[in-house]
């Protein structure tokens, strides 16, 4: 089976506008729909005169998260629905292949621009994360990225570090990583229209940029989700204000319009959830945007019609949908999964007379970044260079496992790797002098990969290296142990499925000894059945005080867990990664590897 289907799903906004056969724009229908004199389109060059319209190719991707090498395990596959309805998993991703895919796609398209939807860095595997994501910025330069929005993970190390990634300069603490080489920074603009300094009130980076070629002008506005402070550590967003996505995009679209820039693309680090995980699912069936839900739907419906297309991200989903703008006209909304496994190819037909996009002819499709194509040699060299620097640390064995232990790749509320991480945290922080923890909580979004049994290098199958452990927990969050009452502990469990988490539950991974029933047939907080919550077989006493271990992100009330932010008598312990590695070392040997833990702590009713 070829990794890339012969006929990838195309999504055209014309479906709801032109009554063309089978919903597709025929040449005749398109010609009939366009103004007189606009018929000779082509690629921006006519016979002896300049054509009225030119096709601009917009290539886009999102949520790379520093995955320079192909992601391992289930995190490195894309679901594809076949003609007979069966779904297959196709290995995908890796910047060596992404570079080749983009270069191949650009051939024959003289007007081609490449944009990204945020989270290019942050939560990165060790190859990039160990070097504060300089390797990823270098790779994106080599991919010829033209522009990206910031995502929430661009703020993991704060605004000062983000500015360094944009402008260059060696790390303020660790210095330059290669002798005689100074980090040059990104040669593409990071856009942060809705992120302002509390002191000045001005955007911390450029709010928009204009791409120009031979008189063709397309404006790009970049925003991250307004809720970024809820999902990033307090230090990462210190001194910053995050504003409403719709209001911000509309403000700068008006500004671009006044400058004569009529063609506008919004890069929005917020997304949705399609009804199918398959990248080639038609989310416009039966109507425009019927098969997608989530925050991006309301955002798309509120953004001014001046904006012609939305490149989105954050949810790590794949979709190519049309969602009506405020005037009722369909508008393209796309997302290309994550980790460089897909790219989106969107055709924007630019009218030279109006300087605007002919929205009735916008078409788009997602494509798999397959691993059965040639590798881009400049990316291979880049990876080898940084791997040489990382090898002494990355290849160090930490433990042994009998089989894959799924974390990021698990769709279940309770994940085997989540249990392993929570158990490691409890064991490390249970001693009285380490905090006296009796239970540990792990946020599911902090689990960035699976532990894969197959060797990633020369270490041999079943060996967990430091690099692999780092890829699972790349934030190096410091652990906290705090006092919570039984009532606060129950409230925290209920906040998994209520408040800001009601529409998209965030199920905490819990250490051994804590059990309860999650009834998904109910709504809101009632989905956590309070009278089933037990710690070591005993019901939680609302008035009793419990010592609870969690990372500093959760202890700050992150991910909507306000109750966890109410802890007192805080003790700061080792990092989450140190505890994870210590647990692997203590519980596994080459002769007695660690088996995946059972998932029997949360009883799920569906």
């Amino acid at each position: 089976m070829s990794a890339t289907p012969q006929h990838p799903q195309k999504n055209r906004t014309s479906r709801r506008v032109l009554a063309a056969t089978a919903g597709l724009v025929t040449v005749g229908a398109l010609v009939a729909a366009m103004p007189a004199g606009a018929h000779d389109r082509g690629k921006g060059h006519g016979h002896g005169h300049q054509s009225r319209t030119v096709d601009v190719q917009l290539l886009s991707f999102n949520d790379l998260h520093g995955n320079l090498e192909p992601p391992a395990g289930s995190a490195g596959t894309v679901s594809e629905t076949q003609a007979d309805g069966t779904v297959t998993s196709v290995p995908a991703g890796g910047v060596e292949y992404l570079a080749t895919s983009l270069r191949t796609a650009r051939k024959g398209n003289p007007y081609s621009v490449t944009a990204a939807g945020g989270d290019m860095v942050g939560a990165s595997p060790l190859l990039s994360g160990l070097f504060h994501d300089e390797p990823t910025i270098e790779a994106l330069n080599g991919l010829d990225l033209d522009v990206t929005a910031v995502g929430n993970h661009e703020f993991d190390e704060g605004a000062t570090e983000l500015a360094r990634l944009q402008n260059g300069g060696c790390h303020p603490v660790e210095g330059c990583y290669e002798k005689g080489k100074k980090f040059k920074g990104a040669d593409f603009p990071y856009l942060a229209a809705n992120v302002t300094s509390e002191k000045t009130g001005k955007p911390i980076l450029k709010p928009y940029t204009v791409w120009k070629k031979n008189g063709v002008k397309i404006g790009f506005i970049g925003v991250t989700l307004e809720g970024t402070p809820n999902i990033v550590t307090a230090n990462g967003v210190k001194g910053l204000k995050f504003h409403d996505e719709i209001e911000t995009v509309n403000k700068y679209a008006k500004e671009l319009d006044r400058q004569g820039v009529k063609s506008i693309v919004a890069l929005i680090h917020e997304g949705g959830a399609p009804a199918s995980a398959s990248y080639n699912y038609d989310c416009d069936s039966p109507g425009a945007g019927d098969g997608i839900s989530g925050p991006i739907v309301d955002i798309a419906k509120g953004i001014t019609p001046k904006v012609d297309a939305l490149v989105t991200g954050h949810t790590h989903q794949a979709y190519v949908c049309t969602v009506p703008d405020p005037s009722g006209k369909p508008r393209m909304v796309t997302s290309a999964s994550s980790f460089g496994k897909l790219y989106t190819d969107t055709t924007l037909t630019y009218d030279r007379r109006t300087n605007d996009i002919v929205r009735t002819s916008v078409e788009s499709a997602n494509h798999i970044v397959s691993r059965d194509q040639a590798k881009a040699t400049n990316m291979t060299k880049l990876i080898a260079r940084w791997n040489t620097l990382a090898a002494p640390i990355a290849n160090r064995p930490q433990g042994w496992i009998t089989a894959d232990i799924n974390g990021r790749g698990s769709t279940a509320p309770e994940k085997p790797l989540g249990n392993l991480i929570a158990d490691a945290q409890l064991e490390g922080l249970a001693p009285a002098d380490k905090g006296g923890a009796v239970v540990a909580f792990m946020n599911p979004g902090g689990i960035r990969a699976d532990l894969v049994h197959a060797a990633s290098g020369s270490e041999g199958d079943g060996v967990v290296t430091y690099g692999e452990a780092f890829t699972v927990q790349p934030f190096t969050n410091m652990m906290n142990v705090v006092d919570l009452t039984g009532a606060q502990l129950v409230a925290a469990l209920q906040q998994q499925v209520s408040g800001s988490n009601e529409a998209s539950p965030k199920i905490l991974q819990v250490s051994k000894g804590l059990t309860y029933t999650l009834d998904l047939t109910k709504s809101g907080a009632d989905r956590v059945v309070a009278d089933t919550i037990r710690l070591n077989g005993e019901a939680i006493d609302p008035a009793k005080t419990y010592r609870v271990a969690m990372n500093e992100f959760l202890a700050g009330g992150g991910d909507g867990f306000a109750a966890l932010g109410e802890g007192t008598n805080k003790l700061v312990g080792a990092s989450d990664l140190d505890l994870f590695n210590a647990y692997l070392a203590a519980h596994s040997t080459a002769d007695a590897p660690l088996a995946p833990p059972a998932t029997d702590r949360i009883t799920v009713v569906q």
Side-chain angles (χ1 to χ4, degrees), residues 219-310:
F220 289 88
I221 303 167
V223 297
T224 186
L225 70 154
E226 185 183 7
T228 290
N230 299 325
I231 53 176
V232 173
T233 57
N235 282 339
V237 295
K238 193 174 181 181
L240 305 178
K241 257 188 121 174
F242 292 77
H243 303 271
D244 181 83
E245 304 95 336
I246 297 172
E247 290 175 10
T248 304
V249 172
N250 289 352
K251 170 188 172 181
Y252 287 110
K254 190 184 271 187
E255 191 170 309
L256 284 166
D257 186 63
R258 281 199 301 266
Q259 295 174 15
V261 179
K262 308 295 184 182
S263 299
I264 302 172
V265 175
L267 308 175
I268 303 176
H269 191 70
E270 178 60 290
S276 166
S278 291
Y279 89 98
N280 54 345
Y281 165 68
D282 181 2
C283 59
D284 275 356
S285 179
D290 283 351
I292 187 172
S293 60
I296 198 60
V297 177
D298 287 338
I299 290 172
K301 288 177 179 177
I303 285 178
T304 172
K306 295 181 191 298
V307 173
D308 298 294
L310 277 61

Side-chain angles (χ1 to χ4, degrees), residues 247-445:
E247 290 175 10
T248 304
V249 172
N250 289 352
K251 170 188 172 181
Y252 287 110
K254 190 184 271 187
E255 191 170 309
L256 284 166
D257 186 63
R258 281 199 301 266
Q259 295 174 15
V261 179
K262 308 295 184 182
S263 299
I264 302 172
V265 175
L267 308 175
I268 303 176
H269 191 70
E270 178 60 290
S276 166
S278 291
Y279 89 98
N280 54 345
Y281 165 68
D282 181 2
C283 59
D284 275 356
S285 179
D290 283 351
I292 187 172
S293 60
I296 198 60
V297 177
D298 287 338
I299 290 172
K301 288 177 179 177
I303 285 178
T304 172
K306 295 181 191 298
V307 173
D308 298 294
L310 277 61
V311 172
T312 71
H314 186 56
T315 57
H316 291 203
Q317 301 297 308
Y319 48 84
V320 175
C321 304
T322 54
V323 177
D325 69 17
S327 70
K329 278 179 66 180
R331 177 170 54 195
M332 198 62 71
V333 179
T334 69
S335 175
S337 184
S338 63
F339 301 169
K341 294 181 289 188
L342 297 176
Y343 72 93
T344 313
D345 189 339
T346 302
T347 300
L348 302 171
T349 299
Y350 183 91
D351 187 329
R352 290 185 183 275
R353 190 173 299 174
T354 65
N355 296 325
D356 207 350
I357 299 301
V358 183
R359 274 233 243 133
T360 53
S361 61
V362 175
E363 60 179 46
S364 189
N366 273 328
H367 300 268
I368 295 179
V369 176
S370 69
R371 299 182 195 167
D372 59 0
Q373 58 185 321
K375 296 178 180 181
T377 54
N378 66 326
M379 294 297 158
T380 303
K381 289 176 183 174
L382 181 152
I383 289 169
R385 208 179 84 236
W386 287 103
N387 261 333
T388 300
L389 289 174
I393 295 172
N395 297 337
R396 209 164 56 217
Q398 300 298 308
W400 291 262
I401 55 175
T402 64
D404 288 0
I405 304 180
N406 286 337
R408 195 74 182 180
S410 170
T411 57
E414 182 184 354
K415 308 171 192 307
L417 190 49
N419 287 355
L420 178 61
I421 290 169
D423 287 350
Q425 294 176 353
L426 177 61
E427 181 170 296
L429 299 172
D433 63 337
K434 302 294 185 185
V438 295
V439 65
F441 291 137
M442 174 64 192
N443 56 308

Side-chain angles (χ1 to χ4, degrees), residues 76 109 115-116 119 122 145 147 177 204 224 244 269 274 374 377 478 504 510 533 575 594 598:
N109 292 282
D119 276 7
L145 182 64
V147 58
Y177 294 111
I204 61 165
T224 186
D244 181 83
H269 191 70
T377 54
M478 301 311 292
S504 182
V510 300
I533 303 171
S575 75
L594 188 67

Side-chain angles (χ1 to χ4, degrees), residues 395 397 453-461 463-465 468:
N395 297 337
H453 184 263
S456 59
S458 59
E459 77 275 11
D461 291 348
V463 179
V464 179
T465 64
E468 291 165 339

Side-chain angles (χ1 to χ4, degrees), residues 66-82:
N67 278 264
L68 303 182
E69 296 176 297
S74 56
T77 62
V78 171
S79 294
E80 178 182 84
T81 300
Q82 307 301 308

Side-chain angles (χ1 to χ4, degrees), residues 150-158 162 195 204 228 232 236 240 242:
V150 293
N152 54 288
H153 281 283
E154 263 80 19
F155 295 94
D156 284 347
E157 296 188 48
L162 173 57
V195 187
I204 61 165
T228 290
V232 173
L240 305 178
F242 292 77

